[in-house]
Amino acid sequence: MGTAMLPKHRVFSLISCSRTLSRAQSLAQNKFHGSNVGCRTLNTLSAQEAILEIKNMPDETKPASAKKPISKAMKAYLLRAKSYDEFMKKQIVEYQIGRRHLANIMSMDADTMTQEDIDQAIEFLFPSSLFEPKARPIMKPPELIFPPKKAAEFDETGRPHHALFYTMNPNFYQVLQDSVTELIKLNKEEDEMIRKKMTIDNDLKLSLSGTEWIQKEKLSAMLIEKIDDAQYEQFQNVLIRLADHPLSSKVKDFVMKYRYSLVNEAALAEIPKPLYEKDGRSYITFKGARRKNAYADVTVHLPGSGKFSVNGQDIEYFSDIQSREQITFPLIFTAMLGKVDINATAIQGGPTGQAGAIRFGLAMALRSFVDNKMVERMRLAGLLQVDWRTRERKKPGQPGARRKPTWKAR
């Protein structure tokens, strides 16, 4: 049957097939003339058999036209990834060697040695008086020190994997899209509750007290993308809208990924460790506490019986009740009243200033005897904040600091 009797699309199919077969036949005769493939020569195969043989051949023996081309971007990425992997492997090997040496020095088992043990050993072997913690010697896994690299964002042909690749910040806009998706789900659930005339409990709203949104630099490091101020503001607006939803507690895990606790980690690291006397009692001394013009040095002993000494006298050194309540408040707040002994020395200032200075020094000293959660509660209560308020001086031409002369019309 001739081609004139066939439908048009079948004619094109036959022509395309014949061209493919002829190309495979010529390729087999010209490129692989006389080469042995499975005890047979390609120049003796038919076109159909030649196509199958070429498809089944290893990549090393395939002709260049049969291989998939690799884009320049993929080649550059593969080179960078290879050098980064080699560098990280070298760093990991050096870290493991140093970890075993450190375990031998400290007479510990390297297999059971934790990162906390390593930090304590480094602090013991290399004591440093540098104020900035980042400047002190450390020994941590390479994954925590060297920033991660982005994975390949496109395939071998240069086609991007991510649908938002051409936004230049795919990870950032993915976060925004996920936030909107979660918000739509909450809105649907809220509409369903309203339709069923159900009351929405206030406890279903997420509480963000004691936390803050992560900084722009940390967000950029998390997404491995550069974020500008406008994008960071957009990020905050979207997440705030999601957190303000009446049912936002159901997306707590998603929201809290981008918030951090207000616990000052650097301040917690600076909390001094208690010292020990000959009788085994632990103590800590905080010097230089101030309030107005008064200065105080406070020493706390644990365990104790609740004794209180101020300039060699008991708590009756302060005649007014308010000053006594000021200095006992940190003990009541931390549940340490009657468990420690306090010895305070105050100079200059009046009763209010000296009581405020002792209160601040006592609160700072008690940090060494409580856990981190209590330290955070003390910070939120204002016990760890210096009160810089002072009496405002009298102004010339006025009866007082703010008071003005009485104005008379006549």
Side-chain angles (χ1 to χ4, degrees), residues 17-79:
C17 183
S18 63
R19 289 176 180 175
T20 303
L21 294 177
S22 61
R23 281 199 299 268
Q25 187 87 34
S26 61
L27 177 64
Q29 292 176 355
N30 299 332
K31 190 69 178 178
F32 298 98
H33 183 73
S35 61
N36 293 328
V37 179
C39 301
R40 303 167 65 189
T41 54
L42 281 176
N43 58 353
T44 63
L45 301 178
S46 64
Q48 295 91 336
E49 293 174 334
I51 293 175
L52 294 176
E53 290 289 347
I54 292 175
K55 288 183 178 180
N56 296 330
M57 287 171 61
D59 292 340
E60 293 78 8
T61 59
K62 279 185 181 181
S65 60
K67 295 182 181 179
K68 289 184 178 181
I70 300 178
S71 63
K72 293 182 179 180
M74 177 56 71
K75 290 181 180 178
Y77 168 77
L78 292 176
L79 291 175

Side-chain angles (χ1 to χ4, degrees), residues 79-121:
L79 291 175
R80 292 196 304 268
K82 183 178 179 181
S83 61
Y84 178 78
D85 292 341
E86 293 177 352
F87 171 77
M88 290 300 294
K89 289 179 181 178
K90 181 180 178 182
Q91 294 297 323
I92 292 173
V93 171
E94 293 179 355
Y95 170 77
Q96 294 297 338
I97 294 174
R99 186 167 175 265
R100 293 193 173 274
H101 285 323
L102 186 63
N104 294 334
I105 294 173
M106 302 301 294
S107 300
M108 300 178 65
D109 186 4
D111 296 331
T112 59
M113 195 176 191
T114 62
Q115 186 60 42
E116 185 178 357
D117 297 333
I118 294 175
D119 296 339
Q120 292 178 357

Side-chain angles (χ1 to χ4, degrees), residues 243-268:
D244 288 341
H245 196 277
L247 304 177
S248 56
S249 61
K250 297 189 176 183
V251 292
K252 179 179 178 180
D253 294 338
F254 178 80
V255 174
M256 298 308 292
K257 286 193 302 184
Y258 306 103
R259 293 185 71 86
Y260 69 96
S261 176
L262 290 177
V263 178
N264 191 344
E265 299 294 341
L268 292 179

Side-chain angles (χ1 to χ4, degrees), residues 8-221:
K8 188 175 183 181
H9 66 278
R10 296 190 62 183
V11 172
F12 285 145
S13 178
L14 286 174
I15 294 174
S16 176
C17 183
S18 63
R19 289 176 180 175
T20 303
L21 294 177
S22 61
R23 281 199 299 268
Q25 187 87 34
S26 61
L27 177 64
Q29 292 176 355
N30 299 332
K31 190 69 178 178
F32 298 98
H33 183 73
S35 61
N36 293 328
V37 179
C39 301
R40 303 167 65 189
T41 54
L42 281 176
N43 58 353
T44 63
L45 301 178
S46 64
Q48 295 91 336
E49 293 174 334
I51 293 175
L52 294 176
E53 290 289 347
I54 292 175
K55 288 183 178 180
N56 296 330
M57 287 171 61
D59 292 340
E60 293 78 8
T61 59
K62 279 185 181 181
S65 60
K67 295 182 181 179
K68 289 184 178 181
I70 300 178
S71 63
K72 293 182 179 180
M74 177 56 71
K75 290 181 180 178
Y77 168 77
L78 292 176
L79 291 175
R80 292 196 304 268
K82 183 178 179 181
S83 61
Y84 178 78
D85 292 341
E86 293 177 352
F87 171 77
M88 290 300 294
K89 289 179 181 178
K90 181 180 178 182
Q91 294 297 323
I92 292 173
V93 171
E94 293 179 355
Y95 170 77
Q96 294 297 338
I97 294 174
R99 186 167 175 265
R100 293 193 173 274
H101 285 323
L102 186 63
N104 294 334
I105 294 173
M106 302 301 294
S107 300
M108 300 178 65
D109 186 4
D111 296 331
T112 59
M113 195 176 191
T114 62
Q115 186 60 42
E116 185 178 357
D117 297 333
I118 294 175
D119 296 339
Q120 292 178 357
I122 294 295
E123 184 179 358
F124 174 77
L125 296 174
F126 305 98
S128 177
S129 59
L130 296 175
F131 178 76
E132 179 59 41
K134 294 181 180 179
R136 300 172 187 173
I138 60 173
M139 181 179 177
K140 294 186 181 296
E143 298 84 0
L144 301 180
I145 297 178
F146 300 102
K149 297 294 183 180
K150 258 190 175 182
E153 299 179 334
F154 33 79
D155 56 14
E156 294 180 353
T157 61
R159 179 174 296 179
H161 295 305
H162 205 291
L164 302 174
F165 175 79
Y166 291 105
T167 62
M168 304 304 292
N169 295 104
N171 294 336
F172 170 76
Y173 287 105
Q174 185 64 49
V175 172
L176 299 186
Q177 185 173 354
D178 294 342
S179 303
V180 174
T181 303
E182 296 292 343
L183 185 61
I184 293 174
K185 292 180 181 178
L186 294 181
N187 287 336
K188 289 182 178 179
E189 189 170 351
E190 183 184 15
D191 293 341
E192 186 68 18
M193 294 177 67
I194 294 174
R195 187 179 65 83
K196 295 180 179 180
K197 297 181 180 181
M198 298 172 58
T199 58
I200 300 177
D201 193 355
N202 293 330
D203 295 337
L204 294 177
K205 185 175 181 180
L206 182 62
S207 176
L208 302 179
S209 61
T211 59
E212 284 288 345
W213 297 111
I214 59 176
Q215 302 298 325
K216 182 181 71 173
E217 293 76 13
K218 192 170 183 180
L219 179 63
S220 299

